């Protein structure tokens, strides 16, 4: 599948159509370090759209979970503690699970799940048992097409709350009760086609603030909503992004202890970094490039220089780019690119165990291949995986 011929496999991904093939400048005489290697892939459900890591069974080993939008399932892969994972356990859930986030909603020390069910216009909860299994919890209708989620304690009552981004320019809040039940909170109508939502305290007032990317053609902005501490937010301030921003991730690129932002843009092959001022405002964004069709990004110090780097999954070029930070929100060029499976759609970092003493690995959700792929840092000593029907090179 070449760069210009790739076709997205599911209707909900039409938002990202028309991605151009702008190449980044490679005039900088810089040779990026080769820190990762492809390890193996594991079969999951059809068209995975997100990949989340955690310790679902309390054995200190990192586990994986994907949302599989075309098979209406989740795939759970339990970690073996050596960089490998058990074959998937596929769980039937709601209609078109687009994304998920995890938190302990009922204070039983087990990770629970909330799903954005884009085909069923609802959010669905699964309550963790602590053994890698989950049981069905409540479902709440939303209007309409939930596409993104975030979790934090918005009103300071000690319970996790949920923010849902809806395709019809709305943000819906559900307030947690500390049990398996939720109550409706505020709803906001703003922006143009929200594509992601993220929560953090951006101005140091100990109240959770909200970041929303607006991917519609009338906006192309990231919106900063400062929180009131009671589950509501003030009117937002917009910052221009590249074309069709898809996601926002918090980082500290310049080590000033203020929250910065990484925004992935769905067109023109760019991502944008915003340096935070520490008061909920940001400097104008700086655009950078990786490869063709960036769709998901994560930050981590991969080379041990105490400066954050960025990993980007590129949907069109079917590869993974690592860009090494300069410490000011910009990056050395060229990036280090690694071939990936068809349609790398989501990306996460992980440590093999929760003790986090080894170098971080990376995992992609391969939308076009129905797999997850493991890339290990060369500092990791992983056990060679046994030949499996579900692992294809």
């Amino acid at each position: 599948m070449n760069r210009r011929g790739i076709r997205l496999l599911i209707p909900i991904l039409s938002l990202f159509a028309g991605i151009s093939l702008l190449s980044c400048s490679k005039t900088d005489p810089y040779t990026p370090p080769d820190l990762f290697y492809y390890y193996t892939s594991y079969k999951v459900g059809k068209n995975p759209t997100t990949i989340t890591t955690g310790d679902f069974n309390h054995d200190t080993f990192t586990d994986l979970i994907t949302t599989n939008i075309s098979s209406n399932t989740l795939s759970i892969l339990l970690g073996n503690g050596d960089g490998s994972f058990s074959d998937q356990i596929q769980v039937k859930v709601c209609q078109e699970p687009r994304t998920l986030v995890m938190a302990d909603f009922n204070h039983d020390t087990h990770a629970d799940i909330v799903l954005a069910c884009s085909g069923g216009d609802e959010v669905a909860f699964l309550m963790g048992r602590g053994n890698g299994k989950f049981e069905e919890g409540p479902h709440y209708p939303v209007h309409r097409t939930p596409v993104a989620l975030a979790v934090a304690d918005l009103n300071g009552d000690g319970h996790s709350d949920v923010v849902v981004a809806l395709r019809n320019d709305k943000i819906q809040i559900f307030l947690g009760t500390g049990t398996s039940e939720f109550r409706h909170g505020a709803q906001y109508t703003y922006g143009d086609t929200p594509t992601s939502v993220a929560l953090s305290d951006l101005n140091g007032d100990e109240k959770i603030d909200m970041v929303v990317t607006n991917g519609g053609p009338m906006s192309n902005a990231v919106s900063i909503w400062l929180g009131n501490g009671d589950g509501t937010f003030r009117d937002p301030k917009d910052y221009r992004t590249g074309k069709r921003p898809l996601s926002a991730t918090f980082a500290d690129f310049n080590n000033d202890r203020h929250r910065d932002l990484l925004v992935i843009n769905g067109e023109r092959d760019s991502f944008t970094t915003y340096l935070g001022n520490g008061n909920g405002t940001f400097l104008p964004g700086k655009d950078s490039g990786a490869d063709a069709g960036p769709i998901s990004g994560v930050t981590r110090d991969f080379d041990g220089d105490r400066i954050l780097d960025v990993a980007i999954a590129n949907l069109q070029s079917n590869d993974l780019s690592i860009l090494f930070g300069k410490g000011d929100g910009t990056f050395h060029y060229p990036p280090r690119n690694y071939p990936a499976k068809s349609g790398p759609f989501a990306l996460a970092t992980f440590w093999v165990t929760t003790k986090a003493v080894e170098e971080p690995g990376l995992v992609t959700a391969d939308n076009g291949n129905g797999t997850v792929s493991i890339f290990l840092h060369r500092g990791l000593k992983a056990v060679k995986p046994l030949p499996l029907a579900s692992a294809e090179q």
Side-chain angles (χ1 to χ4, degrees), residues 8 13 16 19 49 98 244-248 263-267 269-271 290-298 311-316 319 343-347 365 367:
L8 302 183
L13 306 185
F16 314 131
I19 297 174
T49 49
R98 174 66 179 83
R244 293 192 177 180
L246 304 179
S247 65
V263 174
I264 306 298
N265 303 309
E267 292 188 5
D269 303 338
S270 74
F271 64 91
D291 213 334
I295 192 167
S296 179
V298 295
I312 305 285
N314 302 296
L315 182 66
Q316 279 199 318
D319 62 4
F345 197 84
L347 177 66
N367 185 271

Side-chain angles (χ1 to χ4, degrees), residues 332-367:
H332 296 283
Y333 277 88
R336 174 67 67 176
N337 293 331
Y338 298 92
K341 301 297 182 182
S342 175
F345 197 84
L347 177 66
T349 62
F350 74 97
W351 281 276
V352 170
T353 73
T354 58
K355 296 177 182 178
V357 294
E358 72 279 344
E359 300 296 335
L362 293 164
V363 55
T364 59
D366 311 318
N367 185 271

Side-chain angles (χ1 to χ4, degrees), residues 283-337:
L283 298 178
K286 300 176 182 179
D287 287 344
S288 303
D291 213 334
I295 192 167
S296 179
V298 295
T299 63
R300 189 78 75 190
D301 176 11
F302 295 122
D303 58 357
D305 64 357
R306 299 188 179 182
I307 296 173
L308 281 185
D309 311 308
V310 170
I312 305 285
N314 302 296
L315 182 66
Q316 279 199 318
S317 51
N318 290 320
D319 62 4
L320 182 65
S321 297
I322 312 295
L323 297 99
F324 296 93
K326 293 182 178 180
D328 60 357
T330 65
F331 302 88
H332 296 283
Y333 277 88
R336 174 67 67 176
N337 293 331

